Amino acid sequence: MHELIRDITLCILFAWMLGLLAHFSRQPLILAYLIAGFCIGPFGAGWVHSQESISVISELGLIFMLFMIGLEIDLKKIVRAGKVILFAAGGQLLGGCLLGVLFFAGIGLSLGGGRFDAVYLCVACALSSTVIIVKVLYEKRELDTLPGRITLGVLVLQDIFAILFLAVQPSLADLEASVILLSIGRVAVLVAAALLVSRYVLPRLFHQIARRPELILLGALAWCFLVAETAERLSLSREMGALIAGVSLSTFPYALDVTAKVTTLRDFFITLFFVALGMTIPVPGLSVIGLALMIAAFTVVSRLVTTFTPLYLMKQGLRASLLPALNLAQISEFSLVVIQTGIAANHIAPETANAASFAFVVLAVLSTFAMSRSDEITRWAIGPLKRIGLRDLDHGNGHGEEGHEGGHGEARRIVILGFFRAASALLAEIERQTPVLLEQITVIDFNPNVYQTLLSRGLHVIYGDISSADTLLHAGVGKSEMIILSVPDSLLKGASNEKLVRHVRTLNPTAMIVATADLLSDVEELYAAGASYVTVTRLSDAHELFTVIEAAQAGLLADKRAELDQRLGERREVLP
């Protein structure tokens, strides 16, 4: 017991120290935890050498990690997932697994006879890292962009796929139809029971203890371990049960409260899991390094092929097809969970598991770097893709007054560069007050959904990247009378309002240019760059909030809300 406490102390201490280094060097924290485990484990300094300690720490961390993954799976979002996400995820998962089996079996990894290295690796390589992707997309403010939503949708469906694999994983050695059906039946019974309890029993209990935070936390943990132990009794696994416990809690009213209460414990035990995983990684030989590099290379290539292809075939354009493929090009922390279950079941060789762990580390670093520069990579790749014959959405489409290359016709009197919520609201306001003005407007943007929606409404839209000089030149922006930049700098990719104003002013010395400022200090810089007028959205927001306060003080807030509801009901916005 005392040795376990000492080992946990070393785990947390080294994880914190190396986590600080990772933070300052902008590397994934998971990478730091793996290295910390290696340093103090039996293959490093040897300070933690008890296999029992490593096993207990690892299983506790794994149970908590899967519980939290389950809590964050939103079943409603899966049900509402659009066909683009469903086809993209289906193509990526099925294509990735098929290519994986062919590739890994082709290089000599076992596919039967009690060993399933190729199967586990193809599943592991089909999953992407939620932790890395969400962190980078959040920092880049791309979670709510079209590529970001596609990426997150695919991640959710990958989690569902992993759940299904974990359901049949214990029976891989005796994989008959009856065995598969029995495993899925057990999972179905456990899921149904957990959902019923979380729907009809837990809400009442949690409502009674809502003002006692310690009981909320204790109740969530009790539910996690109860379902985990029930799963063990059903010949599944505690890890599978923890995942089901989390998914069932994600649907009931106190899910957010539970998540908030358990987050601290989650971080603690997830840290322990990855540190314990690092302890099991030996100093790699050349064969392990070689296999790890092959796994990493296969993951990147297969992800680009299996994600880009369905999105491109669904006419999402080159950019919106490439970005999710780049975002998803790494191995998931869930993949390490899958590999660990394979080790526990004696389904895969330790060398294969070590190679997968090294591939995870390599891709964690490379994908973080690639995602942070995904816009530049995408712009660089679009040219060669067009040259080999792939068509983008700016290819002639047969609408309206096309005639020049790109098939769009030149920009009209008023040009909106970039289309996000402010531009969506502006078009809705114009449509409500002066619909004839819509005939004089051109929108330039590279969101395929915006492009198709505006075309269907009869507006003049040019598909293109507004940060590209060629796009603006060929669109004929130099002949327009008014150019509106409504996208703030925080959402622009590869440009800023100041750079766009300077470039547009060079192309068109006489146009009225309306730009948007994030900061008050940006206003003078935009005017110096050549803007005719600068909007500061915080001022209009402040005015609106002030009128709300006035209405509330006068007892007229209900009237003001009714007026707003009426205005909202009259609008047909492109972006909700």
Side-chain angles (χ1 to χ4, degrees), residues 165-215:
F165 178 77
L166 288 178
V168 301
Q169 174 265 337
S171 308
L172 277 179
D174 186 25
L175 205 58
E176 299 176 359
S178 59
V179 175
I180 295 175
L181 290 175
L182 181 61
S183 297
I184 294 176
R186 288 169 177 164
V187 173
V189 169
L190 186 59
V191 169
L195 288 174
L196 285 173
V197 173
S198 67
R199 174 70 175 84
Y200 295 106
V201 179
L202 292 183
R204 297 179 183 179
L205 289 176
F206 276 77
H207 179 72
Q208 297 297 322
I209 60 174
R211 296 185 180 180
R212 302 295 297 272
E214 64 274 20
L215 287 180

Side-chain angles (χ1 to χ4, degrees), residues 3-25:
E3 189 176 75
L4 177 61
I5 294 174
R6 180 187 68 86
D7 292 344
I8 291 176
T9 301
L10 287 170
C11 290
I12 296 301
L13 181 62
F14 273 79
W16 178 65
M17 290 190 297
L18 289 174
L20 288 175
L21 288 176
H23 171 72
F24 291 122
S25 60

